[in-house]
Amino acid sequence: MKSVKITILGKQFPLKVEDSEEQTIKRIAHYVDDKFRQYKKELNKQPDTTVMSLAALAIAEELFEERQHNKELEQQDGKIMNEVNESLEEFIGEISSE
């Protein structure tokens, strides 16, 4: 495990992560910090907890949309694989009957 410090809205947070996850967690923290800063700029009169909550909801919405998109792609992949398998079975059947 490795100790890393991330910064979100100017506050540092120490984390323990696997060595292999260090860069990933830093990229995630940077993304979250950027999103929080964007919302803070837009909602400058709101308390940090409101800004962070709304930004977290936006990030969660992005995650859910990506999951839905991935699910749709997996379904398309499955459909294509079924079509390929059916075509191969037909082709093998044609070759076998010759």
Side-chain angles (χ1 to χ4, degrees), residues 17-30:
V17 298
E18 296 291 333
D19 290 348
S20 61
E21 297 174 339
E22 180 181 3
Q23 292 306 315
T24 301
I25 198 68
K26 285 181 178 180
R27 281 196 323 268
I28 292 169
H30 181 72

Side-chain angles (χ1 to χ4, degrees), residues 2 15 33 37 58 67 69-70 74:
K2 184 171 190 172
L15 299 175
D33 185 52
R37 287 181 186 283
R67 283 181 177 171
H69 181 69
N70 285 342
E74 287 174 5

